[in-house]
Amino acid sequence: MKKFKLLYLVLALFVFTTFVNVQAKERPDSFDGRGYVGTLPDLTRTYEATKEQKVSPEMKPVKDFHSANEIKPAPTDDPTFVNIILKSEKTSQYVNDLYEFIPLLENIYDLIEDESNVQIFNAKVYYFNKSAEYFRDKYENKPEAQFVSYKRLLELSMHAKSIALLRSEAKKYNPYLAYGSAGYAYNPNNISQQLEYLKTEIQQTILILKESN
């Protein structure tokens, strides 16, 4: 019985050794760097390259640029468009300074028209004189000093100042004057006439200032 078992063990060992040798011959020595070593199916039989489709741009007819129906009208009634877009050049600082005198002169004109009292009139004229002095100092050494508007404004300032002084003195000395030859300047009729002359000068100067652009 022992001999039979020994013979069976030798036979099994022989079969196993033979199987290992056969497998060793069929496999390569190393699989390093070879990746998949089996057989791959032929994929080229069913593969068909995709053709790139060219898309033509959609062309739309261009509207006539000069068509009156397609052009939006300019907003000429819009002050922003008129004052900024249409104005080719910005207003100079000199003109801006001139325009600041216009409401002041209009106010003095109204005071004469309304026969306002001396104190209010003289206060407005005083402010006008100080503004004119600053204006004179700013432009006296510049080309603007040769402009008619510059000279006319300073002349008006001097005239208004003299009439304001005349009215102040007349109010102070009237109770003591007999309006003879010496006191004629303080006569109310003469002062009224001087104020009318001043009104005319103010009107003419305002017109000159408004046209200085």
Side-chain angles (χ1 to χ4, degrees):
M1 187 66 181
K2 292 182 179 180
K3 291 181 180 182
F4 179 76
K5 289 181 179 181
L6 180 61
L7 180 61
Y8 178 78
L9 181 60
V10 172
L11 181 60
L13 181 61
F14 174 79
V15 172
F16 175 77
T17 303
T18 303
F19 175 78
V20 171
N21 290 335
V22 172
Q23 292 294 324
K25 290 180 181 180
E26 291 179 355
R27 291 185 300 173
D29 296 336
S30 175
F31 291 96
D32 295 340
R34 296 189 181 186
Y36 178 72
V37 296
T39 303
L40 294 175
D42 187 2
L43 300 177
T44 59
R45 294 180 181 179
T46 58
Y47 174 76
E48 183 178 352
T50 303
K51 294 182 179 180
E52 183 179 356
Q53 296 180 354
K54 295 183 179 180
V55 180
S56 300
E58 182 179 358
M59 303 297 292
K60 295 182 179 180
V62 180
K63 296 180 180 179
D64 186 4
F65 178 78
H66 299 285
S67 174
N69 296 328
E70 298 300 333
I71 300 177
K72 185 177 181 181
T76 53
D77 56 342
D78 185 353
T80 303
F81 179 82
V82 175
N83 295 333
I84 298 177
I85 305 301
L86 294 184
K87 214 164 189 180
S88 58
E89 296 181 359
K90 292 183 178 179
T91 305
S92 68
Q93 183 59 49
Y94 174 78
V95 174
N96 288 336
D97 291 341
L98 286 179
Y99 283 0
E100 291 182 2
F101 284 97
I102 293 177
L104 177 57
L105 295 178
E106 290 175 340
N107 189 238
I108 295 176
Y109 183 93
D110 292 339
L111 291 177
I112 299 174
E113 281 277 286
D114 299 337
E115 298 181 355
S116 298
N117 63 57
V118 177
Q119 288 81 3
I120 297 177
F121 173 82
N122 286 0
K124 289 294 181 179
V125 170
Y126 177 82
Y127 180 74
F128 170 48
N129 293 150
K130 289 301 179 181
S131 300
E133 289 176 4
Y134 174 80
F135 179 79
R136 178 199 62 200
D137 295 341
K138 184 176 181 179
Y139 293 104
E140 63 180 347
N141 296 321
K142 296 181 180 180
E144 288 84 355
Q146 304 303 318
F147 293 171
V148 174
S149 55
Y150 175 87
K151 296 178 180 180
R152 188 58 181 268
L153 189 63
L154 296 184
E155 289 174 359
L156 178 62
S157 174
M158 296 286 292
H159 190 190
K161 184 178 181 179
S162 65
I163 293 180
L165 179 61
L166 179 63
R167 295 189 69 184
S168 295
E169 291 178 347
K171 184 178 181 180
K172 180 178 180 180
Y173 299 124
N174 267 346
Y176 312 103
L177 295 176
Y179 300 125
S181 58
Y184 173 76
Y186 304 116
N187 188 297
N189 292 331
N190 179 56
I191 292 178
S192 296
Q193 188 177 23
Q194 294 300 321
L195 289 173
E196 287 298 319
Y197 290 155
L198 182 61
K199 280 175 57 179
T200 301
E201 287 189 42
I202 290 175
Q203 286 179 317
Q204 294 174 348
T205 304
I206 289 175
L207 182 61
I208 292 174
L209 299 186
K210 288 182 177 181
E211 293 178 348
S212 300
N213 50 34

